[in-house]
Amino acid sequence: MDYAKIIGSNIRYERKRRGLTIDDFAKVIGMAPGFLGLIERGQRGTSVKNMVAIAEFFDISLDDLITKDLSNGGADMKDMETQEVLRLVEL
């Protein structure tokens, strides 16, 4: 399973659920729209700092952002390997 795509999908789901364009959301959290697009498509990881900012903006826990499939009613993905999560997050 590609966890970068799950995390990106969660970000895209939460952004669209709130009616935000990628440009508007990128401005609010201080990211380039192109970089945010790469994250949403699961083609790029991001820093813990960025992930915390995204989770705080959406008022969700970082745990939910990276371990649940939010578009699928919050299905728990906690069985994923810790090493896989760490690989995705640039510390």
Side-chain angles (χ1 to χ4, degrees):
M1 183 167 283
D2 188 341
Y3 295 103
K5 289 192 183 285
I6 291 169
I7 293 167
S9 174
N10 283 341
I11 293 168
R12 177 177 282 150
Y13 171 77
E14 290 294 329
R15 174 180 61 79
K16 287 186 172 189
R17 192 168 77 91
R18 288 164 174 78
L20 295 169
T21 67
I22 199 164
D23 290 328
D24 291 340
F25 182 52
K27 283 179 190 174
V28 169
I29 61 171
M31 281 186 186
F35 180 64
L36 184 57
L38 290 172
I39 295 167
E40 285 189 354
R41 290 188 301 278
Q43 297 174 334
R44 178 73 198 253
T46 191
S47 68
V48 172
K49 179 182 174 184
N50 285 340
M51 291 180 68
V52 168
I54 290 167
E56 286 178 349
F57 178 83
F58 291 140
D59 195 29
I60 60 175
S61 71
L62 185 56
D63 182 56
D64 284 352
L65 181 64
I66 65 175
T67 65
K68 297 189 190 276
D69 181 356
L70 300 176
S71 66
N72 189 24
D76 200 344
M77 306 295 288
K78 285 189 177 181
D79 61 331
M80 76 171 94
E81 298 289 328
T82 301
Q83 292 301 317
E84 181 68 12
V85 173
L86 293 175
R87 182 186 69 76
L88 299 174
V89 178
E90 300 168 3
L91 299 176

